[in-house]
Amino acid sequence: MSDVVVDSRTVVGAASDAADADPIVPAVRRRRPILVYLSVAWLVLLILAAVFAGLLPLAPYATPVGPPRTAPEWGSLDMILGTDTQGRSMLSRVIYGARVSLVVGAVAGLVGFLIGSILGLISGYFGKWVDTVITLIADAMLAFPPLILLLALSSILTPSVQTILLGLTLLVIPSFIRLARVNTMAWGSREFVRAAKNMGAGHGRILFREILPNVIAPLAAYLPIVMAALIVAEGSLSFLGLGIPPPQPSWGGMISDGKDAIATSPHLVFVPAMVIFFTVFALNHVGDHLRTRFDRTLHD
């Protein structure tokens, strides 16, 4: 009889301990949308095609391969997207044009990212007159119409890749200044930064060891979105005839060349336009995903 009592008490005690214990919650696995994988796949394919364009079995972008304005047709890789107004392969020109658009977007975006981030860090951390001067410069640059600035540079300087890079870099610097400034001010008021100041840490250590690792993630996540905007800006300049001079192909220039024949040969416009659309869409989607994934301010 005593054994039964002891066993029942043991069972009751074990049950109460199990009830008091914290419930085991399985970890939630985040599912990545299929559009993220498709966007990354498109960007990787485009970059590889642009880098290894010389190794592909394609005709040079300036060499005619058939009659002008031929519609897309199967049987030949050069003719799979048709020919332009001079009989050159549209596929070859799209791939070689990707070199211009990707280089302009990547280089201008990265340079603007570096300069703007450093100035924004300094402005948000030191404040006072330093913040006033840098903010005033950024506001003045943002107030200037972007298209007017690009047109002025293209009119004064010789249209080239260097001229476009200069103009587009000037456009993105103030955006990164403001974004870095806001994030620096937010992280600069955290406890670990105040603790570092109380312990006698220098400005350089606080900026680059304490604040920068937390600020760099949202800035880098914003970079693909900026690159998408720069690709559209470069295409707009090329469409207006102020971008890359011929015969070097560019997506905007291809649209400009085919706009007069859009009624009879719509592929001259739709092919480069769809490439721009897919590239910009992919960059924006990847940028949004990176911001959601790495921007800690969205999760704090």
Side-chain angles (χ1 to χ4, degrees), residues 268-287:
L268 298 180
V269 173
F270 287 146
V271 167
M274 291 305 296
V275 174
I276 293 177
F277 169 79
F278 286 131
T279 304
V280 172
F281 178 84
L283 286 171
N284 280 315
H285 205 74
V286 170

Side-chain angles (χ1 to χ4, degrees), residues 4-148:
V4 175
V5 174
V6 173
D7 292 341
S8 63
R9 290 176 178 177
T10 303
V11 173
V12 172
S16 62
D17 292 341
D20 295 337
D22 295 333
I24 300 176
V25 180
V28 179
R29 298 183 62 183
R30 296 181 179 178
R31 299 181 59 185
R32 295 184 177 89
I34 187 63
L35 284 178
V36 175
Y37 293 107
L38 293 177
S39 299
V40 173
W42 169 261
L43 293 175
V44 171
L45 178 63
L46 190 65
I47 292 172
L48 290 177
V51 172
F52 299 103
L55 302 178
L56 298 177
L58 291 172
Y61 61 81
T63 302
V65 296
R69 303 178 183 177
T70 302
E73 59 184 34
W74 297 103
S76 173
L77 188 61
D78 288 321
M79 303 291 292
I80 198 170
L81 294 180
T83 60
D84 66 354
T85 55
Q86 299 184 27
R88 298 169 295 191
S89 172
M90 290 287 291
L91 178 59
S92 177
R93 293 183 64 79
V94 162
I95 292 177
Y96 280 95
R99 289 183 170 182
V100 174
S101 297
L102 294 178
V103 167
V104 167
V107 174
L110 287 173
V111 174
F113 166 75
L114 293 175
I115 298 176
S117 298
I118 293 175
L119 292 177
L121 278 171
I122 296 173
S123 175
Y125 177 76
F126 288 102
K128 298 181 181 179
W129 67 269
V130 177
D131 181 36
T132 302
V133 172
I134 296 179
T135 303
L136 181 62
I137 294 174
D139 291 342
M141 295 175 68
L142 286 172
F144 202 86
L147 184 59
I148 300 300

Side-chain angles (χ1 to χ4, degrees), residues 97 100-102 104-105 150 164 168 229-239 243-244 249-253 276:
V100 174
S101 297
L102 294 178
V104 167
L150 294 176
I164 295 178
L168 295 180
L230 293 177
I231 289 175
V232 173
E234 184 277 327
S236 301
L237 280 179
S238 297
F239 179 80
I244 307 301
S250 66
W251 294 340
I276 293 177

